[in-house]
DNA sequence: GTGGTCTAGACCACG
DNA sequence: GTGGTCTAGACCACC
């Protein structure tokens, strides 16, 4: 379910966060589903448990999951969180687009790119 | 000409590189224009000369400028480098777009965003 | 494993880069082998850690190794990089040969030199 | 007669030295031919006269030219100097060849390269 | 004056 | 512990 790419420059905990986020926003993980325990996931991925802990803490802070002491971690209800995430991602996209424009990429080139991406079948 | 944002998470030297890159790709800096000297720019931005040095070295490695000991650093001829840069930036954009799609952003939303960016007057 | 020649005119970081490159292209260092840490190698060679850091950064940029914050630096998979390196080295050799020809060195003299080198036992 | 390449990383004075050396070893400049004066060449190449002076001094030190105060600089007799130069260049070539061998370039590959160079018509 | 290398020591993020 | 960024100050080669 979770794959770590050691060639990826991003820190491991961030890769884990991202992965769970998309799984949740995708609907692949439904509300109240239990996440693997910190320790079991640590063993499965053979990485430090602190790293998993950090990822889960951040996910909780961001509102994607909730934790119950002694029980485990669970997926939160989808309360407008998806909207926030969408807004944020769109903002990032805008930054990228501005950069494209700055170095002389034209609108049609971008549009073509967009169409190409949205034509493909979902992964 | 160069502005450093200390709130930006990216390293200083990278901000400088990016800034010069866009200035060169923009055409704001024409070929063979001399860049400010390492030390003078360091003083102007009140940062260490080594940091500027690093930025210039990378810019040279990337082919945007050339440096001559005892003379200074200069903007390189625009030999197809712009095209490479465009390709790379578009590739990055594709990655971003895929992520957008994954979390449920629709094509029209993206298109609207694109149009908005390209309507604005150039900076 | 690494030796620095202070009589060599080339910068230290470049000597280190070259040494690791040949070790990797040789096969002496296999993929995913961990390199000595920046600090430990610095102590071993009694040079500054920044110099090692610089060498490792360039090796990563060139695609010979990959580095992960908090984990270490490792040898990369040999993805056709060896071929590129061969092409580049041969190109340099051609430049050298042209120079030989220009100052009146004859083809047999060069051939003799080549044979002599390739007769020797590998280091 | 002399061309300076500002994209070349070697210092200007070295480029000038090299150029004169090959012209002399070539036979393009015969013994006792007068070289352009320091000042005239400096103006012609629009570079600092000190740089030309340095090149001429080195050429004199190496035995390629001789200077007479108030008269100018002249090409020296070809007294075994060519031989020394050849030996040195061949030594450099050997270094390069060793490197080729180290990274796995085979003897036939090198030989082919050599033949190719020596087939070409002189420049 | 210019670019380039190196040192010593600091701080940060990550695991 | 690891890699990575930054500073301050030194020295060199070149013009």
């Amino acid at each position: 379910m979770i794959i770590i790419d050691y060639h990826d420059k991003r820190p491991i905990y961030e890769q884990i966060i991202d992965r769970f986020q998309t799984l949740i926003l995708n609907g692949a993980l439904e509300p109240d589903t239990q996440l693997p325990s910190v320790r079991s996931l640590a063993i499965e991925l053979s990485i430090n448990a602190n790293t998993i802990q950090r990822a889960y803490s951040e996910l909780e802070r961001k509102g994607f999951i909730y934790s119950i002491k002694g029980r485990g971690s669970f997926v939160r209800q989808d309360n407008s969180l998806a909207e926030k995430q969408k807004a944020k991602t769109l903002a990032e996209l805008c930054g990228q687009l501005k950069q494209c424009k700055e170095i002389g990429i034209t609108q049609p080139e971008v549009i073509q790119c967009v169409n190409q991406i949205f034509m493909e079948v979902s992964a």
Side-chain angles (χ1 to χ4, degrees), chain A residues 23-85:
Chain A
L23 284 174
I24 291 169
L25 293 173
N26 256 350
L29 286 174
E30 295 189 4
D32 294 318
T33 307
Q34 181 163 4
L35 272 59
S37 81
V38 169
R39 275 169 305 182
S40 67
L41 189 54
I43 292 167
E44 191 190 322
L45 303 178
S46 42
I47 61 177
N48 196 307
N50 290 326
T51 307
I52 308 288
Q53 184 58 55
R54 175 160 183 183
Y56 278 20
S57 301
E58 290 263 313
L59 281 166
E60 187 170 11
R61 195 184 51 72
K62 285 189 174 188
F64 285 96
I65 66 174
Y66 61 93
S67 301
I68 304 173
K69 253 196 277 216
R71 291 282 312 275
S73 303
F74 306 86
V75 177
R76 232 220 171 71
Q77 309 283 10
D78 184 21
N79 49 6
S80 83
L81 216 144
E83 283 308 316
K84 275 188 197 166
Q85 188 63 22

